Amino acid sequence: MKVLVTGGAGFIGRQVVRELTGEGHEVVVLDSFRPDVHTSRPEPRDGLIVGDVRDERTYDGIDTVVHLAAKVGLGVDLNDIDDYVSSNSLGTAVLLKSLGRIRNLVYASSMVVYGEGRYDCDEHGPVAPGPRRVEDLEAGHFEPPCPYCGKPLTPGLVPEDARLDPRNAYAAGKLNGEHLAAAWARETGGRVTALRFHNVYGPGMPRNTPYAGVAAIFRSALERGEAPRVFEDGRQRRDFVHVRDVAAAVVLSAAALPEQPAFTAYNVGSGTVTSIGEVATELSKAYAGPPPIVTGEYRLGDVRHITASSERIKSDLSWKPAYDLTTGLTELVHGR
């Protein structure tokens, strides 16, 4: 199989290319090498297209596309919103327009499309919490209350058919990409698998960009001899999944596309619920560095808890994560 990997020079992309090549597939990488992610821009060569997904081109001889290229992260402020829409939504639209006879697409989505995770109220059952209020956050009230009775909620795991509620520009663009890809599949007879990645970490994580994941931000602080700074109270629930497990999910999804429905969505997480504070503490121990500082700071576009069930991809594609968080973070610290 000949596979085009957009964003193939990025953090996840490099692992996907390595996994595909190891399985005997021919890989072509398309990457813009944008300067907020990469320090240098190479010359094009066989198997490497240096360019932007927003530039129309012909992809001759490609069987399957893995679309990873995106401007990532929550963003610094609303001034980024046009770049997110252009890079992610427009980029996906132009790519789809350029696919020609290609009918197989794996799309890198994100768990952020759900907004807040699943919550249950003892009295009202499953409920969707309302928007975060600045006055609550300023007062240190980070847990969302039941929108009906105001009582505390119990967080749980989100299935793929849950309500979608993106709460920032990046999340909205990821969901828009799913919708665009589904429309493309209906009109062309193509097949799309959208993989909703959780918090991906591992070798090759970006370090000093404003869009790095929280584990990368904590690591960078510790490497400078500083304590990791944890927002809110550190009890936010997340699922941290190793980049090699994510790459394995991508490759399995690509191989399964000919037998899949027109559109399929899978959650891709480790299956282990971890708090942000626990990750900071584990990294501090691994680096023998200062303990985390819980700051009480917040970002309005963040969500409190988001962890999802990955049972569907395990059942359908026999995917199973190989890394637990302790093993993965130890490997990260020691550079293996």
Side-chain angles (χ1 to χ4, degrees), residues 52-218:
D52 199 298
V53 289
R54 291 169 289 189
D55 300 329
E56 290 188 44
R57 52 175 49 85
T58 301
Y59 300 108
D60 294 325
I62 298 296
D63 302 302
T64 298
V65 173
V66 174
H67 182 32
L68 303 173
K71 180 180 174 72
V72 300
L74 173 62
V76 177
D77 54 43
L78 204 57
N79 289 330
D80 277 347
I81 192 168
D82 54 343
D83 195 13
Y84 276 106
V85 172
S86 177
S87 299
N88 298 353
S89 295
L90 178 60
T92 297
V94 173
L95 175 69
L96 293 169
K97 181 181 177 181
S98 302
L99 291 186
R101 297 178 180 274
I102 302 169
R103 293 293 179 265
N104 297 313
L105 174 68
V106 178
Y107 172 71
S109 188
S110 171
M111 54 85 184
V112 296
V113 300
Y114 297 113
E116 288 284 358
R118 177 192 171 98
Y119 292 89
D120 291 282
C121 173
D122 289 342
E123 181 176 348
H124 296 98
V127 297
R132 305 179 101 195
R133 303 192 313 163
V134 171
E135 54 266 40
D136 292 336
L137 299 172
E138 288 286 347
H141 301 150
F142 302 118
E143 294 290 346
C146 175
Y148 302 106
C149 65
K151 293 180 180 177
L153 298 173
T154 302
L157 301 181
V158 182
E160 285 86 352
D161 56 0
R163 174 175 173 263
L164 303 177
D165 182 24
R167 298 197 173 193
N168 57 61
Y170 174 67
K174 280 299 178 184
L175 182 55
N176 181 239
E178 288 194 19
H179 290 162
L180 290 171
W184 167 84
R186 283 192 296 270
E187 293 192 24
T188 65
R191 292 178 173 83
V192 177
T193 294
L195 299 178
R196 295 170 180 166
F197 300 148
H198 279 58
N199 295 75
V200 186
Y201 74 99
M205 280 195 309
R207 292 176 180 265
N208 297 315
T209 78
Y211 309 108
V214 66
I217 293 170
F218 293 160

Side-chain angles (χ1 to χ4, degrees), residues 304-322:
R304 179 60 176 175
H305 304 300
I306 175 63
T307 53
S309 169
S310 300
E311 292 305 312
R312 179 183 290 180
I313 190 172
K314 292 177 183 178
S315 174
D316 288 2
L317 303 185
S318 299
W319 174 79
K320 183 179 180 181

